[in-house]
Amino acid sequence: MPAAGRVLLCSVTMWLLLQSLLLLASCLRPAAAFPKGCYPSEEEGLKTFRCSNAQLTEVPRDIPNDTNKLYLDSNRIPFLPRDAFRDLPLLLELDLSHNAIASIESGAFRGLAEHLRSLDLSSNRLVSVSKDTFSNLKAKVNLSNNPWLCDCQLQELIRTVDLAAGSSGGIMCDSATQEEHVGKAFLQVIANADFCNVYKRTTDIAMLVTMFGWFAMVISYLVYYVRQNQEDARRHLEYLKSLPSKQRRSEESSTISTVV
């Protein structure tokens, strides 16, 4: 083979080898940064990141920011902090079901309002969540199979979110402000009861009782003050009666004018 041919063949071989090494490096570097049990894939043309059943105790970092579907289900995550998903602007679906989530900080889903269309929080340990947690979210939300406290706050939350189809029946009263509602479906309960009106009536009654208490205290003080003055005036008049008549008349006039 001519020398020029050998040089060309070596150059092509080296170029292909270099490209192969670069491709291998690009595949290995992200994989090394992912938590054990997490891996990227593509499903139905959408970039997916799966961390199902990976024994996670927090939302992992270094999730590719072009992820469209994120699966963090069946882990041990107990808490969602503020801005937990702020670097995922293209996220469409978020599955957090079957975790140990008992608390969600306000702003945890900030940055997802524009694109997120599905949020699964079913089978966690949620008891009470502020309605502001899901402010501006347009996603369908699954809140079923959590140990909910049925009260005014849950009622306001349910009115705020767009529940996923078929999930409303799984929102049960594990505890409630009224004992007879425990064990019942929340939507069934609020069909016949308004927790927020009950709370308002209770607050109004408490205010009335407080005002009545203050009014009673003021009246009691006025009665005591009048009686005390009357008693002082009576003792003074008795004292005047014991004085000589001329001095007594002068003192009585002074006392009467003072009382009047």
Side-chain angles (χ1 to χ4, degrees):
M1 179 183 294
R6 287 199 299 271
V7 170
L8 178 61
L9 180 60
C10 288
S11 298
V12 171
T13 303
M14 290 298 294
W15 183 84
L16 291 174
L17 180 59
L18 180 60
Q19 291 297 313
S20 300
L21 290 173
L22 289 174
L23 180 61
L24 182 61
S26 66
C27 293
L28 291 178
R29 273 201 308 271
F34 299 151
K36 183 180 179 181
C38 298
Y39 61 92
S41 64
E42 189 165 325
E43 300 176 7
E44 300 176 350
L46 297 175
K47 293 187 176 181
T48 303
F49 192 76
R50 286 190 174 273
C51 285
S52 303
N53 200 20
Q55 305 298 312
L56 298 177
T57 56
E58 63 180 4
V59 176
R61 301 177 182 179
D62 300 320
I63 299 172
N65 57 16
D66 60 350
T67 297
N68 303 128
K69 299 170 70 174
L70 177 59
Y71 292 89
L72 299 174
D73 56 299
S74 302
N75 285 290
R76 297 181 294 177
I77 300 171
F79 169 69
L80 296 180
R82 184 188 304 271
D83 295 323
F85 308 97
R86 66 178 179 181
D87 296 325
L88 302 173
L90 302 180
L91 199 61
L92 300 175
E93 297 181 20
L94 175 57
D95 189 346
L96 291 160
S97 64
H98 296 90
N99 273 281
I101 300 171
S103 177
I104 303 176
E105 194 171 39
S106 180
F109 302 110
R110 185 161 46 194
L112 301 182
E114 190 66 28
H115 295 95
L116 193 68
R117 65 190 185 193
S118 175
L119 172 60
D120 194 345
L121 285 163
S122 63
S123 301
N124 276 283
R125 298 178 184 174
L126 295 172
V127 174
S128 184
V129 176
S130 169
K131 65 179 181 179
D132 297 333
T133 302
F134 303 101
S135 60
N136 301 320
L137 276 185
K138 302 173 184 177
K140 299 286 185 179
V141 183
N142 188 343
L143 298 172
S144 61
N145 299 319
N146 281 280
W148 291 109
L149 165 63
C150 291
D151 61 358
C152 180
Q153 184 162 309
L154 179 60
Q155 182 172 317
E156 291 182 337
L157 174 67
I158 298 301
R159 288 175 176 173
T160 301
V161 301
D162 187 4
L163 295 177
S167 68
S168 59
I171 302 175
M172 307 294 292
C173 297
D174 189 72
S175 58
T177 51
Q178 299 180 32
E179 189 66 26
E180 65 267 22
H181 296 146
V182 175
K184 296 180 180 178
F186 182 69
L187 293 189
Q188 174 189 346
V189 169
I190 60 172
N192 303 309
D194 190 332
F195 287 99
C196 294
N197 277 346
V198 170
Y199 175 77
K200 185 176 183 300
R201 286 198 299 270
T202 303
T203 303
D204 290 345
I205 291 172
M207 290 181 64
L208 287 173
V209 170
T210 303
M211 292 175 64
F212 178 79
W214 279 106
F215 182 74
M217 288 176 62
V218 171
I219 295 298
S220 300
Y221 176 76
L222 290 175
V223 170
Y224 169 78
Y225 180 80
V226 171
R227 287 182 176 177
Q228 187 67 30
N229 281 354
Q230 288 177 342
E231 183 65 22
D232 290 344
R234 184 186 62 78
R235 286 197 298 268
H236 191 63
L237 288 173
E238 289 178 354
Y239 166 73
L240 293 177
K241 289 178 181 179
S242 65
L243 297 175
S245 59
K246 185 175 181 181
Q247 183 181 359
R248 183 177 62 205
R249 282 196 298 272
S250 175
E251 292 286 344
E252 283 179 351
S253 298
S254 176
T255 301
I256 291 171
S257 63
T258 300
V259 172
V260 172

